Amino acid sequence: MKAEDVRVLLEQLAAAAATADGDAWRRSWTDLSGSLMDDGVLSDGAYAALPHLVEAAAALPPGLTVDFWTDLGFMVTADYRPDVPADLEAGFGAALRLAERAATRTLLATGFPGQVCAQLVLSCAALAGHHMGEMLWRVPEFPDHPSSELLLSCPACGSDTEIPDFSVDPVRPSIEAPPLPDPDPAAVREEGHPWSEAAEALREDALGKGWEPFLRVAREVAVRGVPPETPGQAVLCLVAGMVAVRGTPQQAAGELARRLMSLTGHFRCWDCERTWAIADGLAEPPKSLAGVPDGTLANPDGSAEIPGRPAEIPDGPLSPHRPAQARTAPNGSAGRVRSAAAGRLSPGATRFRQEENAVVAADGTPWGRVSVFSDTVPGSSAGVEALAVVPRPGRSTLVAGGGARGVVCLWDVTDGRPVHDPLPGHPDAIRSMTTVSLPEGRVLLASGGDSGTIAVWNPLTGRPVRQPAGDWPGGVTAMCTAALPDGRILLVTATPRGAVRMWEPDSGECVGRLNPYGSPIRSVTAVPLSADHTLIAASDTAGRVHLWDPAVDDPWDRGAAVQLSAHALAVADHRVAAVEAVLTPDRTTLATADDLGVVMLWDPATGAPVGDALPSSTGTAGPPLVTAATPHGGRTVVVTGTRHGHRLRVWEPETGVVRHIALDVSLTCLATVGAELIVGHDRGVLSLPLTGQ
């Protein structure tokens, strides 16, 4: 930004004030505003230049300055605003007060198209110092899409909650007008503030029958002068009310005003289950008003609050800035509102989070203990990229993990302690692991490397069965085992280049190939048809699913493999990224997951889908992780998450119940042992119960 550019614009503003012609200065302002703010970043020089520009613009006729005041609102709500230099603070503060007065005068002088009017009102609120002015950045995306989703950010945990088909234009309101607390006398502005005329313009009949209470809230906010302490919902009433009385054409402005009024309802965060005003999900209030950290109310089904339907709160009306009424503990701290007796888990609880070494429900009741596995190397923790479960007949099960260091670690699942020192010798980072249970009772552990190597270990002794072998581009991205009717147990490996090979595990001899099309593979799993016959399912990078019968020599011969229904996949628009066998007491099914978080179950005997799918979820969208178990003869559960995400969904397909668990780690891989979920993450391995304790 150059001082000469500012000087030229000031001269043009003076000329416009004399001639009422704004074309020349608008062009100069467009060029200069790009120097004052770029990509949401306000420049340091803005604090020196804007007071002069505001003074000149305030002298112009109101009809010429709509764009200027709107742009100024964007600047004072920019994503990044450096601190005002001490020597400029007084002048810049005075400029904002002048700008608020001039912008409000412009708002009241004439009519504007509804969206322009909404932006101008929000700019005026921003100049008054209210945080709802930040919604100015959201207005362009809202009015033009009356049936689109609304994306809200939880002020507490930051999770996004999406409400589809939010915007409506009801003839009568489906919500109650938001409460407006009694004002703090010190916060109400003195008479003569610029919003007094706005209060007079707000007619109660502007939106028709039923909307009068909202207009009364709007008028009261204007009477008070929009102090910063005003609840965001109430300021939205003012914005909508001004659109109703100053927007053009009248019918379109009324529709927009009613949609804006619908933003004065509430929503419930899908993750932490706290209830918030929608206004606080659009523009976060000051930290001192950002809600109580503990305490929540849950919908029975854990869903987001329906727009226009107030939260049901037994202790009284919802505080404009608080997610729920929090009870005060004797020590003065905020206590949790429990939906069940102390220490007992509510049967309907669906939201959980990690608190240190425990998993607790949203209301604070315990779910179970988190067991942290011992460090892979004494004194340090490291990420684990692959997991395998090593059964030991008559003894506790082992969990094996490997990662970037190229070593294999084994832990006893009962206490998370290592059974022996880490196993060195893998020449590269480990990307995949599996166990190979041989007929004579021996159990081997196989690991696939980042550069295509395959190592086989005796997990009980910690010794390699043979030297690591292989060198395939792209690495060994997935492994499983296949049982053949002739009694052989083979190791199956896959690479992103499309090579799917079968190996004799002891000798390392390649005895067969699958995937004749050569599709690049993301995931493989073994699907048992019987104790001595296994199919291999795989997903490729194009989202397709392949099933092969390793018992046939010709890879083009499908044998007993039945492909999944192409019609059902197409209808569901299901582009599969991961596959996992789900063994139930009655039968084996195949689970498929996509990058949107959708999980479907399939009958491998018919290729048809089984039951309803697990729908997509904002918090678990991305490269999927899937595992399954049937804990202690109970209902089968499918656990899904996102690689590098923090949230899990535990789904019971039989009942449709879904439980959400938020962890403090970044997920990398999943496995199950009995009723325990094993989580590999960026710092190591932990376990937690699949059923509440």
Side-chain angles (χ1 to χ4, degrees), residues 17-342:
T19 63
D21 182 3
D23 290 341
W25 82 264
R26 284 195 187 99
R27 289 191 295 269
S28 297
W29 168 246
T30 300
D31 295 337
L32 181 61
S33 61
S35 301
L36 295 173
M37 184 176 69
D38 182 28
D39 196 23
V41 178
L42 190 67
S43 70
D44 294 330
Y47 298 126
L50 286 175
H52 302 285
L53 298 174
V54 166
E55 184 177 3
L60 291 178
L64 299 182
T65 54
V66 177
D67 294 340
F68 181 87
W69 303 125
T70 301
D71 290 344
L72 188 60
F74 278 109
M75 290 180 184
V76 299
T77 57
D79 289 339
Y80 176 73
R81 305 184 297 277
D83 293 335
V84 183
D87 58 334
L88 299 177
E89 189 171 0
F92 188 73
L96 290 183
R97 291 191 292 273
L98 174 60
E100 179 194 9
R101 186 171 297 279
T104 307
R105 187 178 70 247
T106 297
L107 172 66
L108 296 169
T110 184
F112 309 99
Q115 183 173 336
V116 174
C117 187
Q119 290 180 315
L120 184 55
V121 184
L122 286 166
S123 291
C124 294
L127 295 170
H130 198 280
H131 72 274
M132 278 313 298
E134 296 177 6
M135 191 191 156
L136 179 64
W137 296 82
R138 302 286 301 270
V139 169
E141 70 190 38
F142 179 72
D144 293 338
H145 303 282
S147 61
S148 63
E149 69 280 353
L150 181 68
L151 189 64
L152 303 169
S153 178
C154 176
C157 68
S159 297
D160 289 339
T161 295
E162 184 178 290
I163 304 178
D165 300 327
F166 173 83
S167 300
V168 294
D169 179 30
V171 176
R172 295 175 182 269
S174 56
I175 56 176
E176 295 180 1
L180 188 59
D182 293 334
D184 179 355
V188 177
R189 299 170 72 175
E190 297 179 358
E191 293 184 6
H193 60 74
W195 294 94
S196 299
E197 294 183 30
E200 296 176 4
L202 288 164
R203 306 185 315 273
E204 288 190 13
D205 62 348
L207 288 176
K209 189 173 179 58
W211 294 100
E212 297 88 350
F214 293 84
L215 273 299
R216 285 195 288 270
V217 171
R219 181 185 293 116
E220 180 59 28
V221 172
V223 167
R224 298 181 187 183
V226 198
E229 297 79 8
T230 308
Q233 300 163 285
V235 173
L236 284 176
C237 286
L238 173 60
V239 174
M242 293 307 301
V243 170
V245 299
R246 281 291 181 263
T248 59
Q250 187 174 2
Q251 181 176 352
E255 293 174 357
L256 172 56
R258 286 187 287 271
R259 294 204 299 273
L260 289 169
M261 285 293 191
S262 67
L263 296 176
T264 61
H266 299 89
F267 78 102
R268 192 179 301 280
C269 173
W270 75 270
D271 190 354
C272 68
E273 288 193 325
R274 304 180 188 188
T275 301
W276 298 92
I278 288 176
D280 292 341
L282 293 166
E284 187 174 352
K287 294 300 181 184
S288 61
L289 303 176
V292 178
D294 292 322
T296 182
L297 294 172
N299 279 346
D301 62 356
S303 62
E305 196 71 37
I306 299 174
R309 186 175 299 169
E312 295 179 3
I313 298 175
D315 293 335
L318 188 71
S319 169
H321 291 296
R322 296 188 177 183
Q325 294 291 327
R327 306 188 193 279
T328 303
N331 63 1
S333 62
R336 294 187 180 92
V337 180
R338 295 184 181 270
S339 60

Side-chain angles (χ1 to χ4, degrees), residues 223-497:
V223 167
R224 298 181 187 183
V226 198
E229 297 79 8
T230 308
Q233 300 163 285
V235 173
L236 284 176
C237 286
L238 173 60
V239 174
M242 293 307 301
V243 170
V245 299
R246 281 291 181 263
T248 59
Q250 187 174 2
Q251 181 176 352
E255 293 174 357
L256 172 56
R258 286 187 287 271
R259 294 204 299 273
L260 289 169
M261 285 293 191
S262 67
L263 296 176
T264 61
H266 299 89
F267 78 102
R268 192 179 301 280
C269 173
W270 75 270
D271 190 354
C272 68
E273 288 193 325
R274 304 180 188 188
T275 301
W276 298 92
I278 288 176
D280 292 341
L282 293 166
E284 187 174 352
K287 294 300 181 184
S288 61
L289 303 176
V292 178
D294 292 322
T296 182
L297 294 172
N299 279 346
D301 62 356
S303 62
E305 196 71 37
I306 299 174
R309 186 175 299 169
E312 295 179 3
I313 298 175
D315 293 335
L318 188 71
S319 169
H321 291 296
R322 296 188 177 183
Q325 294 291 327
R327 306 188 193 279
T328 303
N331 63 1
S333 62
R336 294 187 180 92
V337 180
R338 295 184 181 270
S339 60
R344 296 179 56 193
L345 183 68
S346 168
T350 61
R351 306 284 173 168
F352 304 86
R353 64 183 182 275
Q354 181 181 353
E355 285 191 357
E356 297 181 350
N357 287 339
V359 175
V360 299
D363 63 1
T365 51
W367 166 268
R369 181 175 178 270
V370 173
S371 298
V372 179
F373 286 24
S374 299
D375 291 347
T376 53
V377 175
S380 67
S381 295
V384 172
E385 295 293 324
L387 290 170
V389 176
V390 183
R392 295 190 296 176
R395 303 175 64 185
S396 60
T397 302
L398 303 182
V399 173
R405 291 196 304 261
V407 297
V408 174
C409 302
L410 288 106
W411 301 272
D412 191 315
V413 75
T414 58
D415 56 18
R417 296 181 180 178
V419 296
H420 46 60
D421 291 337
L423 312 183
H426 210 290
D428 51 359
I430 296 173
R431 297 184 64 181
S432 56
M433 302 184 79
T434 192
T435 52
V436 185
S437 298
L438 300 174
E440 62 272 24
R442 285 194 305 140
V443 178
L444 302 179
L445 174 65
S447 57
D450 198 41
S451 61
T453 56
I454 300 171
V456 181
W457 318 78
N458 182 328
L460 303 183
T461 65
R463 296 177 180 176
V465 173
R466 53 181 171 80
Q467 290 298 315
D471 184 16
W472 291 279
V476 180
T477 54
M479 312 177 86
C480 65
T481 57
L484 274 60
D486 61 10
R488 290 182 295 164
I489 304 294
L490 301 179
L491 172 65
V492 180
T493 64
T495 74
R497 297 290 184 93

